[in-house]
Amino acid sequence: MTDIAGLLRRLEKGGIPMTASIREAMLNVEIEDFTDYETEPFYVDRPVPFMETDAGAVKTISAPHMVATLLHHMELNSGDDVVIVGAKGGYIAALIATIVGEHGFVRVLDPSQDAVLHVRQRLTHWPTVEVRELESVDVAPVAFPGDLHRVLVTGQINSLPHWISDRVIEGGFILAPLGPKSSQQLMKMELQDGELMPTDLGPVAFGPVDVRRGEPGPMSADELADMIELTIQTCEDLGLIEDDERHAMQDLVVNLRNLPDDLPPPGEGMIPMEEHPMIQLMWEAAPSFFRLWPMLQTMLHPNLAQPGAEDWDDENESDDGEFKP
């Protein structure tokens, strides 16, 4: 078996929180039990796929540093009841079931029938894990327990469904990557005195919980507007955008969001490409849009950190051995 212990040491050295219970679970639950794909990337701190749809959407198990980070922020204890929205191949469910023990319980919910079948097959011998198919992330499952203590959403959603936020008990919390598909913020929301109190844990990039939303296809007007807004914010943070460029791009965002909701994406709906309203708006904003195109490309293809990669130590240690995150 590939060196999981070495990976965990690199993660800890890279600043990833690693409690004894998380370390023990990751040492004992083997990633190979949850995917038939090659697992070598996992041991250099990369995600690994566990299924692919006929339409080309890929569902992955998160990179080890993100798995450990999610487990850390879940604050798990023996006997906890945990709800996981998003299958992640069953790997995270197995880790959590290991941590909460025989007196805890884990419920996995996913809107993909294929993902549910995959996880059920992989967790056949885990008596404290239940796997159910969701009609939709936004629709409450039938005959589901009323009170929620710990909820982990393992994929991108735009906002929390009411059936989750309304059921969290006092002192319970939800951990979820909230935002558009282009980027999200990892949010931890704890119910205190009857109010969900949010804590922003930083930017993340998760695929959608619903695998159908991850299938390749043309970008909608709202998705393009989200991407342009993110580009504006990033360029502002880096001091790379002029006022006239910002105003022009903000106008473009407004115009994109004002397009009809039922407008088909470019290349669909029998609208000639050059006549499509999205294309026309983009060409009108070309003087500001194209100068920042390299930044937009960076948003589309981020270079994610891998603190568990085998070369991380060499790249982040000075001559005196001091680690630099």
Tab-separated table of all heavy atoms in Angstrom, residues 156-177:
chain	number	residue	atom	x	y	z
A	156	GLN	N	-20.349	21.948	-4.061
A	156	GLN	CA	-20.837	23.314	-4.239
A	156	GLN	C	-22.359	23.381	-4.263
A	156	GLN	O	-23.029	22.598	-4.923
A	156	GLN	CB	-20.280	23.880	-5.553
A	156	GLN	CG	-20.818	25.247	-5.931
A	156	GLN	CD	-22.046	25.182	-6.840
A	156	GLN	OE1	-22.266	24.196	-7.542
A	156	GLN	NE2	-22.851	26.230	-6.827
A	157	ILE	N	-22.892	24.318	-3.491
A	157	ILE	CA	-24.296	24.719	-3.595
A	157	ILE	C	-24.336	26.242	-3.519
A	157	ILE	O	-23.476	26.865	-2.901
A	157	ILE	CB	-25.188	24.102	-2.494
A	157	ILE	CG1	-24.626	24.392	-1.096
A	157	ILE	CG2	-25.368	22.611	-2.700
A	157	ILE	CD1	-25.530	23.914	0.033
A	158	ASN	N	-25.325	26.825	-4.170
A	158	ASN	CA	-25.408	28.287	-4.181
A	158	ASN	C	-25.785	28.843	-2.816
A	158	ASN	O	-25.272	29.881	-2.388
A	158	ASN	CB	-26.413	28.752	-5.235
A	158	ASN	CG	-25.925	28.492	-6.647
A	158	ASN	OD1	-24.757	28.686	-6.950
A	158	ASN	ND2	-26.808	28.028	-7.510
A	159	SER	N	-26.695	28.169	-2.138
A	159	SER	CA	-27.146	28.604	-0.817
A	159	SER	C	-27.697	27.399	-0.073
A	159	SER	O	-27.983	26.359	-0.672
A	159	SER	CB	-28.216	29.696	-0.938
A	159	SER	OG	-29.331	29.218	-1.678
A	160	LEU	N	-27.857	27.554	1.229
A	160	LEU	CA	-28.344	26.443	2.041
A	160	LEU	C	-29.834	26.209	1.818
A	160	LEU	O	-30.626	27.149	1.892
A	160	LEU	CB	-28.117	26.732	3.521
A	160	LEU	CG	-26.724	26.496	4.082
A	160	LEU	CD1	-26.699	26.894	5.548
A	160	LEU	CD2	-26.305	25.045	3.915
A	161	PRO	N	-30.241	24.970	1.571
A	161	PRO	CA	-31.671	24.660	1.507
A	161	PRO	C	-32.311	24.849	2.883
A	161	PRO	O	-31.687	24.597	3.918
A	161	PRO	CB	-31.697	23.187	1.088
A	161	PRO	CG	-30.332	22.880	0.576
A	161	PRO	CD	-29.395	23.804	1.286
A	162	HIS	N	-33.565	25.278	2.887
A	162	HIS	CA	-34.256	25.524	4.162
A	162	HIS	C	-34.411	24.247	4.977
A	162	HIS	O	-34.408	24.292	6.215
A	162	HIS	CB	-35.620	26.160	3.903
A	162	HIS	CG	-35.539	27.581	3.436
A	162	HIS	ND1	-35.018	28.582	4.219
A	162	HIS	CD2	-35.892	28.169	2.264
A	162	HIS	CE1	-35.057	29.732	3.560
A	162	HIS	NE2	-35.575	29.507	2.373
A	163	TRP	N	-34.541	23.107	4.299
A	163	TRP	CA	-34.747	21.874	5.065
A	163	TRP	C	-33.511	21.520	5.894
A	163	TRP	O	-33.613	20.758	6.856
A	163	TRP	CB	-35.133	20.715	4.148
A	163	TRP	CG	-34.057	20.190	3.241
A	163	TRP	CD1	-33.812	20.561	1.957
A	163	TRP	CD2	-33.098	19.170	3.552
A	163	TRP	NE1	-32.752	19.853	1.438
A	163	TRP	CE2	-32.299	18.985	2.397
A	163	TRP	CE3	-32.835	18.393	4.681
A	163	TRP	CZ2	-31.259	18.066	2.347
A	163	TRP	CZ3	-31.792	17.474	4.624
A	163	TRP	CH2	-31.021	17.316	3.467
A	164	ILE	N	-32.372	22.088	5.542
A	164	ILE	CA	-31.169	21.904	6.360
A	164	ILE	C	-31.074	22.998	7.422
A	164	ILE	O	-30.975	22.719	8.620
A	164	ILE	CB	-29.901	21.904	5.481
A	164	ILE	CG1	-29.888	20.684	4.550
A	164	ILE	CG2	-28.648	21.907	6.355
A	164	ILE	CD1	-28.680	20.631	3.626
A	165	SER	N	-31.117	24.250	6.989
A	165	SER	CA	-30.893	25.354	7.929
A	165	SER	C	-31.971	25.418	9.010
A	165	SER	O	-31.685	25.809	10.151
A	165	SER	CB	-30.833	26.686	7.175
A	165	SER	OG	-32.017	26.914	6.430
A	166	ASP	N	-33.201	25.012	8.686
A	166	ASP	CA	-34.295	25.102	9.659
A	166	ASP	C	-34.296	23.965	10.677
A	166	ASP	O	-35.039	24.025	11.665
A	166	ASP	CB	-35.647	25.119	8.937
A	166	ASP	CG	-35.865	26.393	8.130
A	166	ASP	OD1	-35.083	27.346	8.317
A	166	ASP	OD2	-36.795	26.425	7.297
A	167	ARG	N	-33.478	22.933	10.454
A	167	ARG	CA	-33.526	21.764	11.340
A	167	ARG	C	-32.320	21.655	12.275
A	167	ARG	O	-32.266	20.747	13.106
A	167	ARG	CB	-33.608	20.478	10.512
A	167	ARG	CG	-34.881	20.342	9.693
A	167	ARG	CD	-34.964	18.951	9.110
A	167	ARG	NE	-36.086	18.787	8.209
A	167	ARG	CZ	-36.492	17.612	7.730
A	167	ARG	NH1	-35.852	16.514	8.074
A	167	ARG	NH2	-37.515	17.538	6.915
A	168	VAL	N	-31.362	22.538	12.121
A	168	VAL	CA	-30.173	22.454	12.973
A	168	VAL	C	-30.551	22.791	14.416
A	168	VAL	O	-31.245	23.775	14.677
A	168	VAL	CB	-29.082	23.410	12.470
A	168	VAL	CG1	-27.877	23.399	13.399
A	168	VAL	CG2	-28.653	23.017	11.065
A	169	ILE	N	-30.093	21.973	15.347
A	169	ILE	CA	-30.412	22.192	16.752
A	169	ILE	C	-29.424	23.176	17.371
A	169	ILE	O	-28.361	23.449	16.811
A	169	ILE	CB	-30.401	20.862	17.540
A	169	ILE	CG1	-28.997	20.235	17.515
A	169	ILE	CG2	-31.431	19.899	16.979
A	169	ILE	CD1	-28.870	19.008	18.398
A	170	GLU	N	-29.784	23.714	18.520
A	170	GLU	CA	-28.920	24.656	19.228
A	170	GLU	C	-27.550	24.020	19.487
A	170	GLU	O	-27.445	22.906	19.996
A	170	GLU	CB	-29.564	25.055	20.555
A	170	GLU	CG	-28.832	26.151	21.301
A	170	GLU	CD	-28.946	27.511	20.615
A	170	GLU	OE1	-29.882	27.717	19.816
A	170	GLU	OE2	-28.080	28.365	20.895
A	171	GLY	N	-26.506	24.744	19.092
A	171	GLY	CA	-25.150	24.231	19.234
A	171	GLY	C	-24.689	23.376	18.067
A	171	GLY	O	-23.511	23.034	17.977
A	172	GLY	N	-25.619	23.029	17.182
A	172	GLY	CA	-25.252	22.281	15.987
A	172	GLY	C	-24.762	23.213	14.898
A	172	GLY	O	-24.916	24.435	14.987
A	173	PHE	N	-24.171	22.643	13.857
A	173	PHE	CA	-23.691	23.511	12.788
A	173	PHE	C	-23.648	22.795	11.448
A	173	PHE	O	-23.777	21.570	11.351
A	173	PHE	CB	-22.321	24.115	13.124
A	173	PHE	CG	-21.223	23.114	13.357
A	173	PHE	CD1	-20.609	22.452	12.308
A	173	PHE	CD2	-20.787	22.851	14.640
A	173	PHE	CE1	-19.593	21.543	12.525
A	173	PHE	CE2	-19.763	21.947	14.876
A	173	PHE	CZ	-19.165	21.287	13.811
A	174	ILE	N	-23.484	23.622	10.431
A	174	ILE	CA	-23.412	23.177	9.038
A	174	ILE	C	-22.081	23.641	8.473
A	174	ILE	O	-21.669	24.786	8.689
A	174	ILE	CB	-24.554	23.794	8.208
A	174	ILE	CG1	-25.910	23.531	8.863
A	174	ILE	CG2	-24.532	23.273	6.774
A	174	ILE	CD1	-26.981	24.517	8.443
A	175	LEU	N	-21.410	22.763	7.736
A	175	LEU	CA	-20.176	23.113	7.034
A	175	LEU	C	-20.441	22.909	5.548
A	175	LEU	O	-20.798	21.807	5.128
A	175	LEU	CB	-19.033	22.224	7.509
A	175	LEU	CG	-17.622	22.557	7.021
A	175	LEU	CD1	-17.176	23.916	7.551
A	175	LEU	CD2	-16.639	21.476	7.461
A	176	ALA	N	-20.290	23.984	4.752
A	176	ALA	CA	-20.678	23.884	3.343
A	176	ALA	C	-19.902	24.879	2.491
A	176	ALA	O	-19.664	26.018	2.913
A	176	ALA	CB	-22.175	24.142	3.189
A	177	PRO	N	-19.521	24.476	1.256
A	177	PRO	CA	-18.942	25.419	0.294
A	177	PRO	C	-20.061	26.140	-0.457
A	177	PRO	O	-20.730	25.547	-1.308
A	177	PRO	CB	-18.116	24.518	-0.634
A	177	PRO	CG	-18.759	23.165	-0.536
A	177	PRO	CD	-19.478	23.089	0.775
